[in-house]
Every structure is written in C-alpha cells, then in structure tokens.
Amino acid sequence: MKLASFKHDGRATYGVAQADRYLQPPADFLNRYPDLAAVLRANAQRELEHAAISSGISIQAAATQALPVLPTPQKFICVGLNYKTHVAETKRDDSAYPALFVRFADSLAANGDVVHRPSFSERFDWEGELAVVIGKEGRAISQAQAFDHVAGYACFNDITVRDWQRHTHQWTPGKNFPGTGPLGPWLVTADEVPDVNALTLETRLNGEIMQKASLADLIFTIPVLIEYISRFTPLSPGDVIATGTPGGVGDRRTPPVYMKDGDVVEVEITGLGILKNRIGTAA
C-alpha cells in the first residue's frame, strides 16, 4: 500500500495512492484521523485501506498539491556517514557509533516542489537516502524487534548547504534551510518491502546518475539504528529516520558539482517511487 499526504481544494489531507489518483477515506474517517501520523498512532493502516477503497472517493493526483509524506513529524533523525563509499570520499575515520543529527519539520519539502537554493550559497548539494517511518512506539527497542516498529519506507533527499554545514563541527545549520528536505512521493508500507537489503538507491541530476548503491551496503543497518536511537529517545509513530547517503555527493567530486537554478534532481529507490524536484533560487 502506498500512502500519500496532499492538499486538495486548499485542505491538507491524505489517501491511498493508485496510479494517477488518490483514493480518499470518507469524512468520518478523516475526522477521527486528521493526518497520516494519527493513522499510524492508531495502527489503522488496514482500516484506512478498506475505508479508502470502499468510499468511492477518487481524486486525480494532477488536481492536488503534494505534501511531504509526514508533513510534521515529531522527530526527524538523520544518520550521517553510513555508507563506506561516503566515508571514504569524505576522508573520515570509521566510527563505532552512528553519526546523528536532526531536521526540523519546516525544512521538509514534497515531491514536485521547487527547492530553493539560498542566494548567498553556491554549494547546494544532493544526498539521496532511504527514510524509515516508525509505526509503533518504543524505547530501548532490540534489534530483533526493530522491524516490528517500522510502518514503511520513503525516498528522501537530504539537500545540504555545504558551506553552512561546515561553519562549525555541528552540521545543523546546513541541513535545516526551509523546504530543502524532500520526502516522498509516498510512504510504502513495510509489508510491500519484504527485504529492504534488496533495494537499490539511485540519485540523478538532470538525468545523469550521481549516486547508486544497494541498501545492503549500510554500515549501521536499520535494526542497529532503531536500537541505538531508541536507547536515548523514545520513538513514536510518524517519527522518521533518514538512514544516510552513499558516495557520489557533489561536494566530493573533482571538480565539485553543485546544484544550480533549473536543475532537476531525482531520488529513486526500488519499489518506493521517484522523488523529483527542481532547483530554484531563494530571494
């Protein structure tokens, strides 16, 4: 099942994605569960599927405005340096623990949004990633139980303002410019992804492949990340963990390659769709 958040007739809502349309549940369901996070908190995904199919309410995707799959996650935790190829290109040492940072909800963007490069920076870079959406709350979750807490997966682009990222050893500023973290196009439920290690991630800039890697290449696997993160902070339905980017970022190329106005960047992960955005300049 593919779940999407979007605006229709000026109202933020959600539904089940099918081909070029969204199947929407009836008003009483939307009143009980005002957004996808509420659906996840109630473990009502199957109820949503049944309600959306039974309602007969079908909305053309072209008549909607996409939203980030989870528009306002309570926690959005990102993992850095989680592929050997990226560690190698950054010339950093291996680490015994995951490198973590956070994104703010207003830094997220949707599939199809124009992502605005700050006018005062030329070092605007892509980072294609797999995002893991939590579906069941937990604290100190064991690796053996980790996948029981996963609702599904989505594509993510951790677009980064590299000069601001490196103002200090803290990465937060360069990772949190408004609307620079596209998340989508859908949340694909975990039952449709029997083996996440079989997925392939590919990032393209103007059609040219910039990153390509297997999810099996993660240094810290999804169970390891969930166990480690949930030991210091509770995880709740609707929280998101971005699992890191492989080698091939623009900043580490010779010469460096950065995104400029009018560029089109795509992140595609097997079975999870294509997350596509155009680059524009901020005022």
Side-chain angles (χ1 to χ4, degrees):
M1 182 166 52
K2 297 179 176 69
L3 306 179
S5 296
F6 54 90
K7 278 188 176 181
H8 183 243
D9 290 338
R11 178 187 176 189
T13 185
Y14 59 90
V16 176
Q18 287 193 350
D20 61 348
R21 63 186 61 241
Y22 299 124
L23 305 181
Q24 191 174 44
D28 65 325
F29 188 96
L30 294 172
N31 289 335
R32 282 186 289 138
Y33 310 118
D35 55 27
L36 279 182
V39 173
L40 297 181
R41 284 193 294 270
N43 193 27
Q45 294 94 304
R46 290 304 166 198
E47 185 183 353
L48 164 60
E49 182 179 34
H50 177 75
I53 292 172
S54 302
S55 72
I57 304 171
S58 177
I59 302 171
Q60 287 286 336
T64 69
Q65 177 188 343
L67 293 172
V69 170
L70 280 303
T72 55
Q74 180 175 311
K75 293 174 183 172
F76 199 108
I77 300 172
C78 300
V79 184
L81 303 170
N82 202 21
Y83 287 81
K84 285 284 189 182
T85 52
H86 188 45
V87 173
E89 70 182 358
T90 60
K91 297 180 173 60
R92 292 176 179 265
D93 296 329
D94 292 344
S95 173
Y97 302 101
L100 303 179
F101 58 96
V102 298
R103 267 192 178 264
F104 309 141
D106 66 0
S107 76
L108 300 181
N111 179 53
D113 280 355
V114 175
V115 176
H116 292 283
R117 175 185 61 82
S119 58
F120 46 80
S121 175
E122 299 294 332
R123 299 175 64 184
F124 206 44
D125 203 356
W126 61 83
E127 289 194 10
E129 307 194 14
L130 172 76
V132 177
V133 179
I134 299 300
K136 177 183 175 184
E137 66 181 6
R139 181 78 187 271
I141 301 164
S142 70
Q143 291 183 42
Q145 296 177 321
F147 283 114
D148 295 339
H149 292 259
V150 174
Y153 306 93
C155 301
F156 178 60
N157 195 345
D158 185 29
I159 293 176
T160 305
V161 184
R162 293 294 185 195
D163 42 359
W164 277 69
Q165 180 190 7
R166 298 205 176 92
H167 281 176
T168 72
H169 64 279
Q170 298 290 341
W171 298 347
T172 299
K175 299 287 189 175
N176 278 284
F177 279 74
T180 57
L183 177 67
W186 315 292
L187 163 62
V188 178
T189 53
D191 60 299
E192 292 202 13
V193 187
D195 182 6
V196 71
N197 289 327
L199 306 184
T200 297
L201 181 153
E202 185 172 287
T203 305
R204 298 182 291 270
L205 183 65
N206 301 322
E208 181 180 352
I209 296 173
M210 294 297 180
Q211 296 177 296
K212 188 166 186 175
S214 167
L215 269 296
D217 294 339
L218 288 174
I219 296 171
F220 300 103
T221 64
I222 291 168
V224 170
L225 294 174
I226 289 175
E227 179 183 65
Y228 182 77
I229 292 168
S230 68
R231 290 191 72 183
F232 76 85
T233 187
L235 289 174
S236 300
D239 289 349
V240 181
I241 299 171
T243 55
T245 200
V249 300
D251 192 60
R252 298 295 176 168
R253 292 172 176 265
T254 305
V257 177
Y258 298 111
M259 296 186 296
K260 59 186 184 302
D261 304 356
D263 281 350
V264 174
V265 60
E266 299 170 292
V267 177
E268 181 174 8
I269 301 177
T270 314
L272 304 188
I274 300 174
L275 176 63
K276 183 176 180 178
N277 298 89
R278 184 169 62 83
I279 305 303
T281 304

